Each structure stands twice: as structure tokens, then as C-alpha cells.
Amino acid sequence: MPFLQISSGHHHVADGIMEYLKGLEEEFECEKVDILSYTYGAAEKLVSSAYLKWIHTFPDFYSWLYNRSAIKTRPNQKKAYRLFKLLFLWRMRKLIEEKKPDLIICTHALPSFLLNEMKLKKSHTIPVINVYTDYFMNEIWGTEAIDYHFVPSKEINEELIKKGVNPEQIHVTGIPVHPHIMKHTSRVKNRPMYSVLISGGNLGAGAIKTLIQNLKPSGQIQYSVLCGKNEKLYQFLEQLHDPLIKAFPYISSKKEISSLYDEADAIITKPGGVTISECLLKKIPIFVYHALPGQEEVNFQFLMKKGLAYQLKDWEKKGQVEIQILEVLQSEQQKEQLQKQLRQYHAELTSVDLTEILTKVLAKLQNEKKG
């Protein structure tokens, strides 16, 4: 259960989990359901559009409101979120009655909150797994009655334990990536130019166009821009006719995305959870040029605290981006320091494959059901 129909990390993680389940011996019938579309139909498009416009037009207000409502709470204060209950609880009950699922996996906080409320009131006993898609846990996520938690870091693991969650119910998986995004491979050496990916323009949000306009390629870096479904961005790049800036339209194949990562010496991106998780898996140097208000701001703070990414400064000025990237790529000391931080981060994650974790969790849930 993700939320909204926007092509977000919630959906990418859900798709990846479904692919992992398909790889197991047992057969699974999986279905993604967005509770907003299920409840209010076409109104979802209006909400999605308003959400994106809000972020663009009033970023500071959105950031303030998100922090106030979803992150910052007074000690021992539990927000009631009465509006969420009023709008969606009745429909969640209907959904469960209609689908009769054996397991529910939440990749967004809202359905997790609703299902947790229902379990606490004994409205249903269906096992629920939280799969967190950012590098923090906002206050909306349900915890008390959730059966398992797939968390992105040891910090979230510790936070859940403090909330009273049994450590055996928590798996430090990192943010799950699609199984076709394989671990990093050796990159091609002795190439005439460095290869740098640019992503973050899929939804038209952020400032990727400004970034590209100010690149001022010197000939030392070949840039590949992942435009996603942002047709305007793709057309803009095609019209530049710059041989050092290559535009890629939407790529549906995860294997193709994985290959592009393998060819890259670095990536310039926004701190969206899934993209960052893929880059951490591939051990690619990450350069953050912009963070959308709310979730991405908090993700960025996590990355900087852990030393897992670089902040691009003065990226609106011509030529500054390339200077900063080359400074890192041409420094063995900086590259080794980054690899040290990456090794430390990966050492904090479980060494067990997600397929194996899912197999064990499902077997345990099945045994509990029989018992």
C-alpha cells in the first residue's frame, strides 16, 4: 500500500517487493492499492496536482507544516490525526472486507497508521509489514500493532526499540531496491572522460533545469540526464544539441537503470529515498544539488551526518558544479574517505538477502496463523 498515484519511492519500493515475492517458491497474488484513489477515485489526481504545486509555490510553508505535523512532537505526545481517521478508516475496512488479504505491506505512513489503529481496536488481525522509504520515521507511521518493520538504518531500529517494538520484529534492510538493481560492479577505467548521471527531474519538481543551464561542460565529464516522465525537460535537453549532455527519456527497465549506474563515476541528484538507496548499493559518489521541502530535507540531513553524500554549493553559478565534482573524483583521499563511510553504513545493515528475510517472515506468520 503506497499513497497517491505519483511515481514516487513508495511505488518503486512496492514494485520491488512484489518482484521479490514473485521470486519465492510459493505463488503470490499481489496488488498495489492507493487508499486515496480507492476512496475518492478521480479526486486523487487533483490532490496529487495540488500537492506538487504546493511544494513548488510555497516550499517554506510546506516544510514548516510537514515538520510540525509529521516529525516534531512534544515528549510523550501522540497525535490523533482525526482527519485521517474520518476520511479513510471506513474505506480501509471496506477494502479489507473486499480483498481479504493474507498480508498487507505498507510503503507509506498513512495506510500503516490506519491499519495500526484498526489492529489496536481488534478490527482486523491481518499481518502488516512497514517498509520505510525514507531515512527517518515520521510520526504518522503505525508501530504498536505492526507485525514487522523493514527499516533503513540502525538509528530507526533503535528508535523503534525505544517505542517498545520487539527487536525480533525489526530488520535493518536499508530502503529496499528492485532486485534487478544489482550490486555495484567494477567501472570502466582509462576512459577519455568521467561519466556523471543527473536525476531528479521526473516530476518536474526541483531546479534541475537551472542546474543543467549552468553546467558549463569543459569536456572532462560526459553528463547523462534521466528525465523520467518529464517530457518538457527531455525536449529542452534535445534542443541544446550539446554532445556532452545526453538526455534519456523514461526508462522502465530496472536492468537498464542498473547498467547506467555501473557506467557512472558519480551522480547528481535530489535526496529521494529510493534513488539514494540505489546509489548507496552501487557505492556511487552522490552529489546533492537540491532538496524538496519535507522528506527530502530530512533525508539530506541523514546523508550529510553519515558522510554518505556531498553538497553541491553555488550550483546556480556557471561552472561551479563541475569544479566541485572533479575536485572529488580526482582526489584519491576523498574517494577513499567516501568508501570508508559507505562500508561503515553497509556494515550496519543486515547481511541477509531481502528474499531470505521475506521467506522467514512469511513462514513465521503462516505458523502463527496455524497456531
Side-chain angles (χ1 to χ4, degrees):
M1 294 195 76
F3 187 66
L4 299 178
Q5 293 297 309
I6 300 170
S7 179
S8 64
H10 313 299
H11 282 275
H12 291 304
V13 170
D15 292 339
I17 298 268
M18 289 166 71
E19 197 66 30
Y20 277 109
L21 289 170
K22 288 178 186 176
L24 300 181
E25 291 182 3
E26 294 183 59
E27 287 190 9
F28 292 90
E29 184 180 335
C30 302
E31 184 178 354
K32 272 198 308 181
V33 179
D34 159 33
I35 193 65
L36 180 59
S37 298
Y38 181 79
T39 306
Y40 298 106
E44 183 277 332
K45 289 184 179 179
L46 182 63
V47 173
S48 295
S49 177
Y51 169 72
L52 291 173
K53 191 168 183 179
W54 185 15
I55 290 176
H56 273 119
T57 312
F58 304 106
D60 292 339
F61 177 62
Y62 178 86
S63 177
W64 174 82
L65 187 61
Y66 184 84
N67 277 276
R68 183 177 176 83
S69 62
I71 297 179
K72 294 177 181 176
T73 56
R74 294 174 185 172
N76 303 317
Q77 179 190 30
K78 181 68 177 177
K79 288 189 170 71
Y81 299 113
R82 293 183 182 85
L83 183 61
F84 293 157
K85 296 178 188 178
L86 180 66
L87 291 175
F88 297 110
L89 263 181
W90 64 279
R91 200 60 173 166
M92 184 66 84
R93 294 190 190 97
K94 187 177 186 302
L95 175 64
I96 288 175
E97 290 171 7
E98 179 185 321
K99 303 292 183 180
K100 295 181 173 57
D102 298 300
L103 173 67
I104 303 173
I105 300 175
C106 298
T107 60
H108 190 278
L110 180 57
S112 167
F113 165 76
L114 297 170
L115 291 163
N116 186 69
E117 288 292 305
M118 292 171 67
K119 289 195 82 168
L120 288 173
K121 294 177 180 177
K122 310 298 182 185
S123 298
H124 79 91
T125 57
I126 300 162
V128 178
I129 300 176
N130 280 355
V131 182
Y132 301 88
T133 56
D134 287 298
Y135 289 96
F136 67 99
M137 182 179 67
N138 69 45
E139 290 296 317
I140 302 171
W141 285 97
T143 55
E144 302 98 318
I146 302 300
D147 297 86
Y148 286 95
H149 303 260
F150 292 2
V151 302
S153 67
K154 70 171 187 178
E155 286 84 355
I156 304 304
N157 175 53
E158 292 164 1
E159 189 176 336
L160 283 170
I161 291 172
K162 286 180 182 177
K163 286 176 176 282
V165 176
N166 185 338
E168 293 182 3
Q169 295 176 281
I170 309 169
H171 296 277
V172 188
T173 59
I175 296 174
V177 302
H178 196 282
H180 291 165
I181 304 288
M182 307 301 290
K183 287 186 178 179
H184 75 292
T185 57
S186 298
R187 292 174 182 81
V188 180
K189 296 181 179 179
N190 301 319
R191 291 176 301 185
M193 288 184 284
Y194 291 107
S195 176
V196 172
L197 279 177
I198 300 178
S199 75
N202 181 44
L203 299 173
I208 191 168
K209 188 176 176 182
T210 304
L211 171 82
I212 293 165
Q213 286 174 320
N214 291 304
L215 276 181
K216 197 180 179 182
S218 67
Q220 297 182 75
I221 296 176
Q222 173 71 55
Y223 297 96
S224 298
V225 185
L226 304 178
C227 299
K229 295 181 179 179
N230 189 338
E231 186 63 28
K232 288 183 179 179
L233 176 63
Y234 180 75
Q235 292 300 327
F236 164 74
L237 293 172
E238 287 288 281
Q239 290 167 12
L240 287 180
H241 299 296
D242 190 326
L244 295 175
I245 303 176
K246 185 178 180 181
F248 286 86
Y250 176 71
I251 300 172
S252 60
S253 169
K254 294 295 183 182
K255 289 182 179 179
E256 190 175 343
I257 292 289
S258 187
S259 296
L260 285 172
Y261 280 139
D262 290 336
E263 294 169 8
D265 295 294
I267 186 168
I268 302 171
T269 187
K270 298 192 291 84
V274 174
T275 299
I276 293 299
S277 185
E278 291 171 348
C279 294
L280 292 177
L281 178 71
K282 293 288 191 178
K283 297 185 177 178
I284 306 170
I286 300 165
F287 293 86
V288 176
Y289 70 96
H290 180 68
L292 290 175
Q295 298 93 319
E296 288 189 358
E297 288 178 318
V298 189
N299 286 340
F300 178 63
Q301 292 166 13
F302 170 84
L303 291 170
M304 297 307 292
K305 181 181 177 182
K306 300 285 255 186
L308 297 171
Y310 301 97
Q311 180 181 11
L312 284 176
K313 299 176 182 178
D314 298 323
W315 55 269
E316 302 96 334
K317 297 179 180 178
K318 285 194 178 294
Q320 280 299 310
V321 167
E322 188 155 311
I323 290 170
Q324 292 173 67
I325 291 174
L326 289 173
E327 187 179 298
V328 171
L329 295 183
Q330 293 174 348
S331 168
E332 291 302 321
Q333 183 179 355
Q334 289 207 52
K335 286 193 289 185
E336 178 51 41
Q337 178 61 30
L338 175 62
Q339 292 305 313
K340 178 183 176 182
Q341 298 302 116
L342 285 166
R343 287 192 295 270
Q344 185 173 326
Y345 169 72
H346 284 290
E348 295 170 359
L349 305 181
T350 177
S351 58
V352 181
D353 183 76
L354 188 60
T355 302
E356 190 175 337
I357 294 173
L358 283 168
T359 302
K360 289 181 178 179
V361 166
L362 291 167
K364 188 169 182 179
L365 290 172
Q366 195 171 37
N367 289 334
E368 289 173 357
K369 188 177 180 180
K370 289 178 182 177

